[in-house]
Amino acid sequence: MAKIRVKQEESLSIKFLHQMEVGDNRRLDLYFFLPKEMGINPQSLNEEEYYHSSITGRRSYYSSGLHLPLVQSRFVSQKKRTVEEFRLYLNLFAYQFSVAIETDSKELAQVEDLVQFYTSLEELAAQVIHLLKRFRRNEPSDEKWKSYFENADNYLSWLCEQRLLKLLAHAPRSSDYTEVTESVVALCRAEADYRKEHKYNSSKTLEDANRIANKMHLLRRLIQQGVVLKEELKPLGIGLKKMTTGIATAMVMLVVSTLIIKAQGVFSGLTIALVLTLAVIYGFREIFKDDIRNALWRLIQRGRPRWSRLLTDTTSKLSIGKQLVWLDFMKKKELPPQVNQILKKRHSQNKVDAEILHYGIHSRVSAKGFLAGYSQIQEQVNFSFVPFARNLERGKAKIYKENEGKISNESVERRYQVNLILVLKEGKDEPQYARYKITMNRSTIIEITESDLPSGMRNMDETPFEDELLTPSATESVEVKTN
């Protein structure tokens, strides 16, 4: 079983990745401990809105070997295959190529060291050239197959150019690496000329940024056909929520009716005093009705999954897996004892009051229905911290220094530390744990570090984990973006 990996995705987002095999039954819980000084709580953050706006995921076929989409024989033996099979294997390669270069370019954009950035940029450009050549070497001659190839070729060429240009636009400036910069620019020009030579896009499309962007978005969707898993997300507890609303309304009306009867007993006849009293009673009813309903719903909803997700293979129409998803704020007394034990290991200066945001996902993977050659699913879930950062204070403090009678000052930023504890339960096995410290300010996540666990507690398996890299051995997971 591969270790679950937590890493930074962009400036204010993190992601976790893990792999599930055929027939797996896995429960994964993430507990985010948000310091109360961050101002994040059930009143300032709606869990449902956060889930739909800031949590995105990919569920994917996964393989770590070279025997799937990258094997040239899959393309060379075109005559032995149908158009549908050719299109599927073509899309497998093209889609994973695009995912790989997006992943690598995002990681490279976060590199601040000058030498490391340009060395990695040069390697990335070389890998792009190699994979594009490999892809184009197997261009079909049959017209009914060629249109699918040209769509994928057009998109991959444009995407590589855009990702490399974006890296250069935000690259650290240095005259020592002019040769690397010029070689990457030359590659981008060559790809633009390649698309013009093959007349992939009309002159009107090339002149209008909106038209070219929309066309490439369409091509991206075309190469996903037959590759991505179809997902169906359903909210749970809709009937229960309606019943809760009815109960809350009945409770409020019971109190209101009692007060009205008593008011009529106090005031004889229809008087101004009675009218004012009734107005006050109905006013309080409107004020407290929603609060009572929300409090009652939170009490009933606590501990229950909020959504269910069905994953389906778009080619075979067979179910690949089912998932239940939790997202809610918790109280400290509701935490598992082992999680509380991990928290006690924190340094005394880090033991601050915190709000606990819990994300859980229970996955059951089907024993059949997988695309031929695949036996694993890889899941990647991204959490955006932008809604958290909105509540944070900007750094206003200054640090003063004295040097030879001269006093200087330096502005300092306000930093916050978010603790993250992962709990993994695989079938009937004992749970495994991991703890991370996420240091962030208002504008970025500064670092993510893994912390030690108390002695005797089972850590995540230290099995080597293959990430999504732009190498011939790692562009083979078929992904779908969902929540």
Side-chain angles (χ1 to χ4, degrees):
M1 180 181 61
K3 176 183 176 181
I4 295 176
R5 183 173 180 181
V6 176
K7 59 187 296 187
Q8 186 173 352
E9 172 71 355
E10 294 182 341
S11 59
L12 274 172
S13 67
I14 67 169
K15 69 177 179 180
F16 76 82
L17 304 98
H18 67 127
Q19 298 158 13
M20 296 175 286
E21 296 184 354
V22 171
D24 268 1
N25 180 9
R26 173 176 293 188
R27 172 69 186 263
L28 178 63
D29 292 283
L30 286 80
Y31 300 93
F32 293 89
F33 295 86
L34 310 167
K36 289 196 173 183
E37 60 183 358
M38 293 177 72
I40 302 164
N41 51 54
Q43 289 72 43
S44 63
L45 183 71
N46 181 281
E47 299 101 309
E48 188 169 346
E49 291 179 1
Y50 179 73
Y51 177 79
H52 289 295
S53 66
S54 303
I55 300 179
T56 57
R58 294 173 179 167
R59 282 87 202 173
S60 61
Y61 286 124
Y62 177 83
S63 175
S64 59
L66 285 170
H67 63 284
L68 286 171
L70 295 181
V71 176
Q72 288 187 0
S73 61
R74 290 286 178 105
F75 295 99
V76 173
S77 59
Q78 296 166 4
K79 294 181 180 179
K80 301 177 183 179
R81 300 187 178 276
T82 65
V83 176
E84 289 74 17
E85 287 177 318
F86 168 76
R87 187 181 183 186
L88 175 61
Y89 293 120
L90 177 79
N91 288 354
L92 281 170
F93 179 85
Y95 185 70
Q96 277 317 116
F97 190 172
S98 62
V99 170
I101 190 171
E102 287 171 347
T103 300
D104 278 9
S105 60
K106 285 179 181 178
E107 292 184 356
L108 184 53
Q110 297 171 14
V111 175
E112 297 180 356
D113 181 75
L114 198 66
V115 177
Q116 183 182 355
F117 176 86
Y118 281 99
T119 301
S120 300
L121 179 61
E122 189 173 21
E123 293 175 355
L124 180 64
Q127 290 169 349
V128 166
I129 293 172
H130 170 74
L131 289 176
L132 285 176
K133 285 183 178 179
R134 191 174 194 178
F135 177 69
R136 290 164 182 167
R137 195 180 301 148
N138 298 286
E139 179 179 358
S141 56
D142 194 324
E143 289 299 325
K144 65 181 181 181
W145 303 43
K146 200 168 185 179
S147 60
Y148 299 125
F149 175 86
E150 290 177 347
N151 286 336
D153 191 28
N154 187 12
Y155 176 74
L156 291 178
S157 174
W158 180 83
L159 181 65
C160 292
E161 177 196 30
Q162 290 298 306
R163 284 290 169 177
L164 292 173
L165 289 176
K166 184 176 181 180
L167 285 171
L168 289 177
H170 301 283
R173 305 301 176 187
S174 175
S175 58
D176 296 334
Y177 296 94
T178 304
E179 291 184 5
V180 176
T181 303
E182 290 178 350
S183 65
V184 174
V185 170
L187 171 58
C188 295
R189 288 175 180 169
E191 287 304 311
D193 293 339
Y194 174 86
R195 296 194 301 276
K196 288 181 181 179
E197 180 183 344
H198 287 74
K199 299 179 181 179
Y200 282 159
N201 307 295
S202 67
S203 57
K204 288 185 178 180
T205 301
L206 292 174
E207 293 170 359
D208 189 336
N210 291 316
R211 292 184 65 172
I212 189 66
N214 288 329
K215 179 175 181 178
M216 293 305 165
H217 179 70
L218 175 61
L219 294 181
R220 171 87 174 212
R221 293 180 61 183
L222 289 176
I223 66 173
Q224 292 177 4
Q225 292 184 12
V227 175
V228 301
L229 299 176
K230 180 184 177 182
E231 62 91 15
E232 184 179 356
L233 187 71
K234 291 183 178 180
L236 300 177
I238 295 178
L240 191 60
K241 191 170 186 178
K242 290 180 179 179
M243 186 178 70
T244 303
T245 302
I247 294 173
T249 303
M251 291 172 60
V252 171
M253 287 306 299
L254 180 63
V255 175
V256 169
S257 300
T258 303
L259 292 175
I260 290 175
I261 293 172
K262 288 187 175 182
Q264 288 176 337
V266 173
F267 302 99
S268 58
L270 184 63
T271 63
I272 295 177
L274 177 60
V275 173
L276 291 175
T277 301
L278 293 177
V280 171
I281 291 174
Y282 279 105
F284 275 104
R285 185 196 71 166
E286 294 302 317
I287 292 173
F288 293 109
K289 182 178 65 174
D290 290 341
D291 292 339
I292 294 174
R293 182 192 61 193
N294 293 338
L296 188 61
W297 174 241
R298 282 189 175 277
L299 182 63
I300 295 175
Q301 175 68 20
R302 182 165 292 160
R304 295 175 179 269
R306 289 205 169 193
W307 299 274
S308 67
R309 180 185 295 116
L310 178 65
L311 302 177
T312 308
D313 187 296
T314 56
T315 303
S316 64
K317 309 299 181 183
L318 296 175
S319 173
I320 299 300
K322 297 180 180 179
Q323 295 181 318
L324 295 176
V325 183
W326 289 257
L327 183 65
D328 50 11
F329 281 95
M330 298 180 64
K331 295 181 180 179
K332 191 173 181 180
K333 63 182 180 181
E334 298 172 338
L335 291 174
Q338 296 85 349
V339 175
N340 272 318
Q341 185 180 349
I342 295 174
L343 282 176
K344 292 179 181 178
K345 188 176 173 62
R346 291 179 298 172
H347 194 278
S348 58
Q349 68 182 18
N350 294 326
K351 293 181 179 180
V352 297
D353 290 336
E355 294 286 350
I356 305 168
L357 181 63
H358 166 244
Y359 175 86
I361 185 163
H362 186 186
S363 305
R364 293 180 181 270
V365 183
S366 175
K368 57 182 180 180
F370 274 58
L371 190 67
Y374 288 98
S375 61
Q376 287 183 316
I377 288 178
Q378 177 170 283
E379 179 175 39
Q380 172 183 318
V381 179
N382 291 29
F383 294 86
S384 173
F385 279 22
V386 172
F388 301 165
R390 293 194 190 110
N391 296 329
L392 305 185
E393 296 181 2
R394 296 184 182 275
K396 298 179 181 178
K398 294 182 181 293
I399 296 295
Y400 292 87
K401 296 180 181 179
E402 182 274 330
N403 185 19
E404 297 180 357
K406 295 181 179 180
I407 300 176
S408 60
N409 65 74
E410 183 178 351
S411 297
V412 294
E413 61 186 9
R414 182 73 182 274
R415 293 186 174 184
Y416 302 82
Q417 186 179 98
V418 177
N419 279 278
L420 170 61
I421 295 179
L422 280 74
V423 183
L424 174 64
K425 182 79 165 59
E426 184 80 16
K428 297 181 180 180
D429 294 344
E430 289 296 317
Q432 301 176 59
Y433 303 89
R435 177 190 162 212
Y436 293 86
K437 292 186 293 186
I438 304 171
T439 305
M440 64 177 294
N441 57 28
R442 186 180 170 88
S443 58
T444 187
I445 293 173
I446 298 165
E447 65 175 355
I448 301 176
T449 57
E450 187 171 3
S451 303
D452 294 332
L453 297 177
S455 59
M457 190 162 287
R458 189 180 177 193
N459 202 342
M460 300 286 180
D461 289 349
E462 296 296 334
T463 306
F465 189 94
E466 289 193 53
D467 200 0
E468 298 168 335
L469 300 175
L470 189 57
T471 60
S473 62
T475 55
E476 298 180 9
S477 57
V478 185
E479 307 184 350
V480 54
K481 293 186 177 181
T482 59
N483 291 94

